[in-house]
Amino acid sequence: MGSSAFCVKDRVKKGAWTPEEDKILVDYIKDNGVATWRSLPKLAGLRRCGKSCRLRWTNYLRPDIKRGPFSSEEENTIIQMHSLIGNRWASIASHLPGRTDNEIKNYWNSHLKKRFANKGPDQQKNRSGVLVKAIDSKPETPSTHHMMQWESARVEAEARLSMDPLLLNPLVAVKIESDYFLRLWNSNVGESFRGANVGDGVICGSTGSQSSSSIKVDDSGSGINVQQGKWSKRHGFTDTVEKQGYVNRAICKTGSDSSKSCEIEDSRNNIFLKLIDFQSSPDNVESSQETIDDVSIYLKDECD
DNA sequence: AACACTCCCAACCGCGCATGT
DNA sequence: TACATGCGCGGTTGGGAGTGT
């Protein structure tokens, strides 16, 4: 379907790109941008298929691409990310500005793969000597499995956001920065969650007493609503924004004692994260000291 | 110098997801 | 709901560059 029809035109040139072709492509995109890749070669006067043009642009001609050898920091990032999420090169690339997924994939296959091939089936050490465990491996416990799934979901959400071209707009970047899920994850709350000792099993049946005002964000279609904004003493969240993300459903509440609770559901990975009774400054989340009293991880099927 | 072999990376291929009709 | 289209992603390949004999 899609791609098979995308690049099957006869008489299109294949193989290495010439400098002349590069110039045509760059000049055209500079002047006109990219409406659809499919129509671009014809409009630009290139005998290439749209797919080839897109690849050439995204992997080689884009002005923000960083050339040269990988730094030790970049290498370390690749190793750690790969140990966590496996061959998801696009997600890994989102953490390395200027590097393409293709470049990272090649670097892994040519430089790093062999180095870790003899370190056991699922264990790798980064340059700091920290032992990390591959997510591809069979989890030893349900909780570790879910921790990995959740981290994987987080990385994917970050990747999606970072790949968003709107990010180039600083105003939009502020919105994305305040994406509640990611901010929550990157806050002390998320830190607590990541470091939380959830034992060997899945914790179910956690309780929390919320009342007063609440805002429910529900996604029943393909679009996803993610809360952003600041806590308000009286109204829970203020400001909402619709954007593409990974969280499928979030229910956030402000208790009568100004305590907060937040439930985040990730249906794709079948994870239910519940943060109960954490406090934060109602006026400025960014600078707040958030604490967490209870963290629950649900397996939906088991706990509903 | 010539050949064989290995390595690296740009480019291609096919699958699958998101979106539109 | 079903189908078509556009495109992103990960796996694979082919050829040039580098190295060894």
Side-chain angles (χ1 to χ4, degrees):
Chain A
M1 260 221 293
S3 65
S4 57
F6 191 32
C7 200
V8 295
K9 283 195 173 168
D10 294 334
R11 304 173 59 82
V12 295
K13 189 180 169 191
K14 290 186 177 182
W17 280 65
T18 65
E20 291 75 24
E21 288 176 313
D22 285 347
K23 186 173 187 311
I24 291 171
L25 182 58
V26 170
D27 288 347
Y28 180 84
I29 292 177
K30 269 185 187 171
D31 293 342
N32 305 284
V34 179
T36 62
W37 287 111
R38 192 182 183 81
S39 61
L40 187 146
K42 191 177 179 183
L43 295 170
L46 284 165
R47 281 182 53 201
R48 294 275 181 172
C49 69
K51 192 171 186 175
S52 180
C53 292
R54 179 177 60 81
L55 231 55
R56 184 63 179 170
W57 173 257
T58 55
N59 287 337
Y60 201 82
L61 297 175
R62 246 172 45 204
D64 58 330
I65 285 181
K66 190 197 282 187
R67 295 272 153 211
F70 281 76
S71 68
S72 58
E73 288 78 17
E74 288 176 318
E75 187 181 304
N76 213 19
T77 299
I78 294 170
I79 293 166
Q80 290 189 25
M81 295 285 293
H82 186 272
S83 71
L84 195 60
I85 62 174
N87 296 356
R88 292 164 66 181
W89 308 114
S91 295
I92 296 173
S94 72
H95 288 256
L96 296 170
R99 301 293 189 183
T100 69
D101 56 349
N102 203 41
E103 196 177 9
I104 293 168
K105 179 173 57 183
N106 285 333
Y107 187 72
W108 174 266
N109 286 332
S110 58
H111 292 86
L112 303 177
K113 195 175 185 177
K114 281 170 284 186
R115 203 191 301 176
F116 296 113
N118 57 353
K119 296 210 181 292
D122 61 351
Q123 292 190 330
Q124 302 168 358
K125 273 187 181 175
N126 61 19
R127 285 198 168 181
S128 310
V130 177
L131 192 65
V132 288
K133 196 171 187 358
I135 195 167
D136 299 337
S137 64
K138 293 290 179 190
E140 292 178 4
T141 68
S143 60
T144 55
H145 176 65
H146 289 131
M147 290 287 282
M148 291 176 182
Q149 280 191 322
W150 189 259
E151 177 63 9
S152 177
R154 182 189 69 81
V155 167
E156 181 159 328
E158 284 190 346
R160 283 164 187 256
L161 293 176
S162 64
M163 294 294 280
D164 193 337
L166 293 175
L167 248 180
L168 298 175
N169 180 340
L171 294 175
V172 177
V174 170
K175 285 185 179 179
I176 292 172
E177 172 66 25
S178 60
D179 175 283
Y180 189 70
F181 167 53
L182 293 179
R183 197 179 58 197
L184 190 64
W185 184 264
N186 290 324
S187 71
N188 293 348
V189 176
E191 188 74 24
S192 300
F193 174 64
R194 290 192 294 276
N197 178 12
V198 295
D200 292 329
V202 177
I203 303 170
C204 297
S206 180
T207 58
S209 56
Q210 298 89 23
S211 58
S212 111
S213 59
S214 68
I215 293 176
K216 180 177 179 178
V217 183
D218 195 358
D219 162 55
S220 53
S222 56
I224 292 169
N225 297 328
V226 178
Q227 291 282 359
Q228 70 131 11
K230 294 179 178 177
W231 284 105
S232 149
K233 271 182 182 171
R234 294 181 56 196
H235 300 107
F237 276 115
T238 60
D239 300 337
T240 60
V241 64
E242 277 194 20
K243 82 176 303 312
Q244 194 76 9
Y246 198 83
V247 178
N248 280 20
R249 194 161 68 113
I251 303 171
C252 300
K253 298 176 182 179
T254 304
S256 56
D257 58 351
S258 293
S259 66
K260 317 293 186 303
S261 70
C262 185
E263 299 174 8
I264 300 171
E265 182 177 348
D266 168 11
S267 60
R268 197 186 306 186
N269 281 319
N270 207 28
I271 295 171
F272 191 84
L273 168 66
K274 194 169 188 174
L275 304 171
I276 298 172
D277 196 23
F278 62 91
Q279 280 83 41
S280 65
S281 162
D283 296 321
N284 189 344
V285 169
E286 303 298 321
S287 62
S288 69
Q289 293 295 312
E290 291 167 329
T291 61
I292 186 164
D293 296 325
D294 191 2
V295 174
S296 301
I297 305 168
Y298 291 80
L299 239 187
K300 276 170 53 188
D301 293 343
E302 294 175 4
C303 303
D304 280 354

